[in-house]
Amino acid sequence: MNQNEVEFNGFPRVRLRRLRRTTAIRDLLQETRLSVKDLVCPIFIQEGIDEPKEIELMPGIFRIPLKNLVKNIQELYDLGVKTFLIFGIPKSKNDKATSAYRIDGIVQKSVKTLRQNFGEKIVTVTDVCLCQYTSHGHCGIIKNNVANNDESLKVLAKIATSHAEAGTDFVAPSAMMDGQVKKIRKALDNNNFNNVGIIGYSAKLSSNLYTPFRDASHSTPEFGDRKSYQMPFHNTNEALHEIMMDVKEGADIIMIKPALPYLDLIYKTRQATLLPVCAYSVSGEYSIVKAAALEGWVNEDEVVMEFTTCIKRAGADIIISYHARKIAEILNNP
Ligand SMILES: [Zn+2]
């Protein structure tokens, strides 16, 4: 287009503001539309409590007893949220995380209860890790003071199989042990659970935004940190390598965690694979917005809708969010 075409009498002929003039025009041309069907709501079920307990670092989010699960899920289902990521907080922990794969464990009982009450109307995803179940709080079996990769894989496979037995739709291994997707796929297939899918926490960055979650799930490491298994947040190529490994090992869905500071990774993952891409907007992302909103510094509803829409715009097909209930309420009452 030459200069004569874009100008008329010295003023711009092309005016992008025409497309922004009214709300109705803007609605017509909106490129990214957030849907309640995009959302996954994390749920914390705690063994040995009678009443819901609010998580101190995540105001508005609760650990709930099993008896409240159906009521809680029904409320979210009525808002249109149909997918749930289940985290269990067990009564007893040990260094081998044995309470993670008990047939009557808290996650296993929760999944059974959900299947009995909701059948195939909802989608269940279970987090597969050791950290909520180990006395030391690490994501693997500790040998010589480090999380031993191959010993941990055996336990992760047992946990995933026990979740499949309980009836989950998807298992989501989050320990960042090498080969975890392959090991779990094999264990599921060997036990006739070839219909159970795997959502790989493929690029789980070693983020400073997990602190409120560790308070929520009682999984703060007793010693050291998780930097020898979670990914450095500085590295793009390494993240893509992790993702391609999970694709090769048989993951059905790829996850990036956290979401908002890693929109570049979400975008690049979207370009690198045809698999669905899931973004996990983590506890720290929730708490930062919540804290600022409680101070009156930002409008929580507007900020949450902006952040979550941008996560989708970057390329996420599925978004795990602690704001799922609020987003659903907003989408139901535009
Ligand atoms: Zn873990």
Side-chain angles (χ1 to χ4, degrees):
M1 195 177 277
N2 65 38
Q3 229 190 351
N4 289 337
E5 286 172 312
V6 297
E7 281 189 6
F8 179 70
N9 285 347
F11 291 100
R13 197 188 274 277
V14 176
R15 290 174 185 262
L16 291 175
R17 289 186 57 192
R18 279 184 207 118
L19 305 183
R20 303 173 195 150
R21 192 168 54 82
T22 66
T23 305
I25 294 174
R26 290 193 295 273
D27 282 351
L28 174 71
L29 298 172
Q30 187 176 314
E31 294 181 36
T32 306
R33 298 179 197 275
L34 201 56
S35 160
V36 74
K37 290 178 185 162
D38 302 329
L39 302 173
V40 179
C41 186
I43 304 282
F44 296 106
I45 320 278
Q46 187 169 0
E47 229 173 8
I49 57 170
D50 281 329
E51 296 302 325
K53 299 225 183 290
E54 191 168 22
I55 298 156
E56 199 185 335
L57 304 183
M58 302 176 74
I61 305 293
F62 293 80
R63 287 187 288 263
I64 60 168
L66 185 58
K67 64 174 187 179
N68 288 41
L69 179 62
V70 171
K71 182 175 157 279
N72 217 276
I73 298 290
Q74 185 66 53
E75 285 170 13
L76 288 154
Y77 183 81
D78 291 342
L79 289 166
V81 180
K82 293 183 189 168
T83 306
F84 303 94
L85 174 58
I86 312 291
F87 291 98
I89 301 141
K91 226 185 327 193
S92 65
K93 305 182 182 217
N94 58 34
D95 61 349
K96 301 268 186 291
T98 53
S99 58
Y101 51 85
R102 277 188 353 231
I103 195 74
D104 63 342
I106 185 66
V107 169
Q108 292 80 352
K109 281 201 282 194
S110 300
V111 171
K112 268 187 205 153
T113 304
L114 291 175
R115 279 280 95 82
Q116 280 159 7
N117 285 272
F118 296 93
E120 293 183 353
K121 289 199 301 183
I122 63 165
V123 180
T124 59
V125 182
T126 52
D127 181 82
V128 175
C129 199
L130 276 63
C131 50
Q132 281 101 271
Y133 304 88
T134 47
S135 38
H136 45 71
H138 274 285
C139 301
I141 298 295
I142 298 294
K143 266 190 174 173
N144 304 323
N145 270 337
V146 290
N148 183 281
N149 197 83
D150 300 2
E151 288 302 311
S152 306
L153 288 183
K154 294 178 197 162
V155 182
L156 289 166
K158 276 191 200 176
I159 300 172
T161 308
S162 74
H163 292 178
E165 262 163 23
T168 195
D169 295 301
F170 289 93
V171 292
S174 64
M176 289 298 282
M177 295 296 140
D178 288 325
Q180 60 184 12
V181 170
K182 186 177 178 190
K183 183 82 176 179
I184 288 172
R185 184 69 272 159
K186 205 169 163 195
L188 292 175
D189 290 349
N190 287 343
N191 287 282
N192 290 323
F193 295 121
N194 53 329
N195 282 336
V196 175
I198 300 177
I199 303 181
Y201 279 72
S202 309
K204 182 174 179 183
L205 290 303
S206 179
S207 172
N208 296 296
L209 293 166
Y210 302 146
T211 316
F213 175 90
R214 288 175 192 162
D215 173 54
S217 67
H218 299 163
S219 59
T220 306
E222 253 182 10
F223 60 90
D225 55 39
R226 293 179 171 144
K227 289 186 176 152
S228 75
Y229 40 100
Q230 293 181 352
M231 254 208 58
F233 56 77
H234 323 68
N235 298 354
T236 307
N237 291 337
E238 189 180 350
L240 290 171
H241 199 170
E242 284 279 6
I243 288 155
M244 297 327 292
M245 287 304 294
D246 275 8
V247 173
K248 261 193 219 159
E249 289 181 21
D252 299 282
I253 297 173
I254 295 298
M255 192 201 294
I256 312 293
K257 178 184 181 182
L260 201 62
Y262 301 95
L263 296 185
D264 59 326
L265 290 185
I266 294 172
Y267 177 76
K268 285 182 175 163
T269 306
R270 177 66 292 151
Q271 309 301 310
T273 171
L274 296 174
L275 291 183
V277 175
C278 174
Y280 193 152
S281 179
V282 301
S283 57
E285 293 175 61
Y286 173 89
S287 298
I288 286 170
V289 173
K290 198 77 188 174
L294 289 170
E295 290 287 343
W297 295 339
V298 296
N299 179 315
E300 184 179 10
D301 289 13
E302 289 172 359
V303 170
V304 165
M305 292 308 281
E306 178 183 339
F307 282 6
T308 314
T309 302
C310 292
I311 292 167
K312 183 167 180 178
R313 193 200 61 217
D317 304 290
I318 303 165
I319 301 164
I320 304 171
S321 172
Y322 294 98
H323 272 114
R325 180 188 289 259
K326 177 167 274 303
I327 297 166
E329 284 167 355
I330 296 168
L331 289 172
N332 282 309
N333 296 291

